[in-house]
Coordinates of all heavy atoms in Angstrom, one line a residue:
C26 N 97.0 83.7 86.4 CA 98.4 83.9 86.5 C 98.8 85.1 87.4 O 100.0 85.2 87.8 CB 99.0 84.2 85.1 SG 98.9 82.8 84.0
P28 N 99.4 87.2 90.7 CA 99.8 86.8 92.0 C 98.6 86.9 93.0 O 97.8 87.8 92.9 CB 100.9 87.8 92.4 CG 100.8 88.9 91.5 CD 100.1 88.4 90.3
M48 N 118.6 97.6 117.0 CA 119.1 97.3 115.6 C 120.1 98.3 115.2 O 121.2 98.0 114.6 CB 117.9 97.2 114.6 CG 118.4 96.7 113.2 SD 119.2 95.1 113.2 CE 117.9 94.0 113.4
Q54 N 127.7 99.0 115.9 CA 128.8 98.2 116.5 C 129.5 97.4 115.5 O 130.8 97.5 115.4 CB 128.2 97.2 117.6 CG 129.3 96.4 118.2 CD 128.6 95.4 119.2 OE1 127.5 95.5 119.6 NE2 129.4 94.4 119.6
A61 N 134.0 101.5 109.7 CA 133.0 102.4 109.0 C 132.4 103.3 110.0 O 132.2 103.0 111.2 CB 131.9 101.5 108.4
L64 N 126.0 105.2 111.6 CA 124.8 105.7 111.0 C 124.0 106.5 112.0 O 124.0 106.2 113.2 CB 124.0 104.5 110.4 CG 124.7 103.6 109.4 CD1 123.8 102.4 109.0 CD2 125.0 104.4 108.1
A73 N 109.6 104.3 105.9 CA 109.6 103.6 104.6 C 109.9 102.1 104.9 O 109.3 101.2 104.3 CB 110.7 104.1 103.7
H77 N 107.2 98.9 104.3 CA 107.5 97.7 103.5 C 107.3 96.4 104.3 O 106.8 95.5 103.8 CB 108.9 97.8 102.9 CG 109.2 96.8 101.9 ND1 108.3 96.5 100.9 CD2 110.3 96.0 101.7 CE1 108.8 95.5 100.1 NE2 110.0 95.2 100.6
A78 N 107.8 96.4 105.6 CA 107.6 95.3 106.4 C 106.1 94.9 106.6 O 105.7 93.8 106.5 CB 108.3 95.5 107.8
E79 N 105.3 95.9 106.8 CA 103.9 95.7 107.0 C 103.2 95.3 105.7 O 102.3 94.4 105.7 CB 103.2 97.0 107.5 CG 103.6 97.3 109.0 CD 103.0 98.6 109.5 OE1 102.1 99.2 108.8 OE2 103.3 99.0 110.6
A82 N 104.1 91.6 105.2 CA 103.4 90.8 106.1 C 101.9 90.7 105.8 O 101.3 89.6 105.7 CB 103.5 91.4 107.6
S91 N 107.6 95.7 95.6 CA 106.3 95.3 95.8 C 105.7 94.7 94.6 O 106.2 94.8 93.5 CB 105.5 96.6 96.2 OG 105.3 97.4 95.0
D99 N 111.3 104.3 95.9 CA 109.9 104.7 95.8 C 109.3 104.9 97.2 O 108.6 105.9 97.4 CB 109.1 103.7 95.0 CG 109.5 103.6 93.5 OD1 109.8 104.6 92.9 OD2 109.6 102.4 93.1
E110 N 122.0 110.2 97.1 CA 123.1 109.7 96.3 C 123.3 108.2 96.4 O 123.8 107.6 95.5 CB 124.4 110.4 96.9 CG 124.4 111.9 96.6 CD 125.6 112.6 97.2 OE1 126.6 111.9 97.4 OE2 125.6 113.8 97.4
G113 N 119.9 101.9 100.0 CA 119.9 100.4 100.0 C 118.9 99.9 101.0 O 118.3 100.6 101.8
L117 N 114.5 90.4 105.4 CA 114.6 89.1 105.9 C 113.3 88.7 106.6 O 112.6 89.6 107.1 CB 115.8 89.0 106.9 CG 116.3 87.6 107.3 CD1 116.8 86.8 106.0 CD2 117.5 87.7 108.2
A124 N 111.4 86.3 120.5 CA 110.9 87.6 120.9 C 111.6 88.7 120.1 O 112.7 88.5 119.7 CB 111.2 87.8 122.4
E153 N 122.6 107.3 107.0 CA 121.4 107.2 107.8 C 120.8 105.9 107.7 O 121.0 105.1 106.7 CB 120.5 108.3 107.4 CG 121.1 109.7 107.6 CD 120.2 110.8 107.1 OE1 120.3 111.2 105.9 OE2 119.3 111.3 107.8
G155 N 117.2 103.3 108.8 CA 115.8 103.1 109.3 C 115.5 101.6 109.4 O 116.1 100.8 108.7
A167 N 111.5 91.8 108.5 CA 112.3 92.9 109.0 C 112.9 93.6 107.8 O 113.3 92.9 106.8 CB 113.4 92.4 109.9
Q169 N 115.7 96.7 106.8 CA 116.7 97.8 107.1 C 116.8 98.6 105.9 O 117.0 98.1 104.8 CB 118.1 97.2 107.4 CG 118.2 96.4 108.6 CD 119.7 95.9 108.8 OE1 120.3 95.5 107.8 NE2 120.1 95.8 110.0

Side-chain angles (χ1 to χ4, degrees):
C26 292
M48 185 59 75
Q54 178 182 344
L64 298 174
H77 190 45
E79 290 178 7
S91 73
D99 297 318
E110 292 180 20
L117 196 57
E153 297 175 273
Q169 291 180 325

